[in-house]
């Protein structure tokens, strides 16, 4: 009971902390005159991935590599199969061809790069440097390619920034939101990991399974919120762009930072099963989007069924 309450409290605090951090950062960027393009591309992108970042860093430093890596792999699987599947049921999702060609390609390359680097069974500091350098190169490429006035990709990331509602721009609000959001993220990560590890030990479930499922879903709630709001507002391309960007940040940024702070061994089940599910889900999404540049309700339903099958296999077949 205590572990369950701790887990739920951690998820709530992570969600509130991520939201506070995003809103404070967006308000601060607006006050400093930062372009909406940069705000949507970098600040919102990192902000929605902040729960995954804090939890994975905390797990890595606490010698819990299964949760640190599982959180990222599980989040990427959930982002595609669960979040985009759910959003497509709300509203068929469209995407811009230019954004798909770049971000879809980079997501597939980032997934392949992770699998390649982890082939020897671990992610070390050299691997981390490669991941972080790749993220830096992507951000530079994305910003330069979107600097054109009529770039559809630029409109997409500008719209992502606008999905965050109008905010006060006072210094007090910015400071309180940033510090409060960070504090909630740190506290939430501690509660989440305490509850998740406790549940795993009590039920005899591996930490890898908990990280890939419960922890991953909990830390993906900001992406879920942004994407669902975008779908409800019929900003369908924002939902797709948010997930593509989040998956890129997760693999290159979060794993890069976590592995740089503490080398991460890859558990056998992730090497033989979960990383291939992530690759397959990514390829399936790109295939769906390339057929008409949209994700239909039927395709969204297939993604959701795929996620249910993945959860079923994780808890009953694959251990």
């Amino acid at each position: 009971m205590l572990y369950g309450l701790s887990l739920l409290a951690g998820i709530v605090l992570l969600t509130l902390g991520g939201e506070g951090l995003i809103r404070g950062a967006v308000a601060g960027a607006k006050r400093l005159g930062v372009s909406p393009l940069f705000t949507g591309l970098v600040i919102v992108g990192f902000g929605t991935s902040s729960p995954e970042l804090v939890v994975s860093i905390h797990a890595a430093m606490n010698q819990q590599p299964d949760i640190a890596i599982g959180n990222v792999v599980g989040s990427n699987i959930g982002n595609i199969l669960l979040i985009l599947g759910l959003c497509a049921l709300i509203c068929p999702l469209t995407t811009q061809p230019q954004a798909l060609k770049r971000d879809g390609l980079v997501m597939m390359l980032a997934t392949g790069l992770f699998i390649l680097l982890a082939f020897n069974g671990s992610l070390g500091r050299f691997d981390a440097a490669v991941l972080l350098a790749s993220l830096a190169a992507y951000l530079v490429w994305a910003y330069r390619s979107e600097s054109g006035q009529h770039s559809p990709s630029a409109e997409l990331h500008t719209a992502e920034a606008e999905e965050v509602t109008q905010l006060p721009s006072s210094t007090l609000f910015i400071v309180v939101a940033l510090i409060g959001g960070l504090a909630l993220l740190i506290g939430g990560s501690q509660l989440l990991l305490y509850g998740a590890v406790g549940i795993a030990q009590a039920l005899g479930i591996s930490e890898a399974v908990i990280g890939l499922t419960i922890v991953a879903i909990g830390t993906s709630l900001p992406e879920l919120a942004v994407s669902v709001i975008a779908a409800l507002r019929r900003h369908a391309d924002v939902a797709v762009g948010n997930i593509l960007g989040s998956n890129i940040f997760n693999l290159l940024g979060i794993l890069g930072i976590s592995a740089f702070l503490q080398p991460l061994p890859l558990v056998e089940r992730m090497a033989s099963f979960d990383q291939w599910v992530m690759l397959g889900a990514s390829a399936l999404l790109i295939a769906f989007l390339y057929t008409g540049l949209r994700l239909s309700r039927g395709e969204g339903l297939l993604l959701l069924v795929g996620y249910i099958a993945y959860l079923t296999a994780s808890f009953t077949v694959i251990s």
Side-chain angles (χ1 to χ4, degrees):
M1 184 67 177
L2 176 62
Y3 293 136
L5 291 175
S6 177
L7 181 71
L8 291 175
I11 291 174
V12 170
L13 291 183
L14 283 170
T15 303
L16 294 175
E19 185 73 8
L21 194 66
I22 292 173
R23 292 179 179 274
V26 170
K30 183 178 179 180
R31 184 182 178 95
L32 294 173
V34 176
S35 71
L37 166 59
F38 185 85
T39 300
L41 175 63
V42 179
I43 296 177
V44 175
F46 272 113
T48 55
S49 293
S50 57
E52 286 100 327
L53 175 62
V54 175
V55 169
S56 287
I57 288 177
H58 193 171
M61 299 308 293
N62 284 348
Q63 305 297 319
Q64 296 170 317
D66 293 353
I67 293 180
I69 300 179
N71 178 36
V72 168
V73 174
S75 289
N76 279 23
I77 293 172
N79 283 349
I80 295 172
L81 300 182
L82 174 62
I83 296 178
L84 285 185
L86 178 61
C87 289
L89 287 181
I90 296 173
C91 171
L93 305 178
T94 58
T95 187
Q96 297 286 352
Q98 291 89 339
L100 176 60
K101 287 179 182 178
R102 188 197 64 217
D103 295 341
L105 173 63
V106 172
M107 182 184 71
M108 291 300 300
L109 290 175
T111 304
L113 180 62
F114 162 72
I115 293 174
L116 177 64
L117 293 176
F119 184 74
N120 64 352
S122 68
L123 292 174
R125 288 190 170 90
F126 173 79
D127 303 315
V130 172
L131 293 172
L132 292 173
S134 300
L135 177 61
Y138 163 71
L139 291 175
V140 171
W141 177 27
Y143 188 78
R144 287 183 175 176
S145 66
E146 295 184 9
S147 296
Q149 186 176 1
H150 302 292
S151 168
S153 299
E155 294 174 4
L156 167 63
H157 288 293
T158 299
E160 283 183 324
E162 293 172 352
E163 290 301 325
V164 180
T165 57
Q166 295 297 319
L167 303 167
S169 57
S170 67
T171 302
L172 178 61
F173 171 81
I174 295 170
V175 172
V176 170
L178 289 174
I179 295 178
L182 184 59
L184 289 174
L185 283 170
I186 294 173
S189 69
Q190 293 176 336
L191 288 173
L192 180 70
L193 289 176
Y194 173 77
V197 173
I199 290 173
Q201 293 175 345
L203 298 179
I205 301 172
S206 70
E207 290 187 1
V209 172
I210 293 295
L212 286 157
T213 55
I214 297 174
V215 173
I217 292 173
T219 57
S220 293
L221 289 179
E223 285 95 339
L224 176 62
V226 171
S227 298
V228 168
I229 290 173
L232 290 172
R233 293 177 179 175
R234 298 301 189 263
H235 295 172
D237 53 348
V238 174
V240 175
N242 174 56
I243 293 304
L244 292 177
S246 176
N247 282 15
I248 293 169
F249 279 119
N250 287 349
L251 287 167
L252 302 181
I254 294 174
L255 279 184
I257 294 172
S258 300
F260 185 80
L261 294 174
Q262 179 67 47
L264 302 173
L266 188 70
V267 69
E268 172 59 28
R269 71 151 280 164
M270 272 189 265
S272 62
F273 179 65
D274 301 288
Q275 66 176 1
W276 304 111
V277 173
M278 178 175 65
L279 179 62
S282 300
L284 182 62
L285 172 63
I286 298 304
F288 281 162
L289 291 176
Y290 263 107
T291 56
L293 296 176
R294 69 195 302 269
L295 194 64
S296 68
R297 285 191 171 92
E299 290 166 340
L301 180 60
L302 286 176
L303 293 179
L304 281 176
V305 170
Y307 192 65
I308 293 172
Y310 170 69
L311 290 180
T312 302
S314 291
F315 285 101
T316 61
V317 180
I318 309 296
S319 59

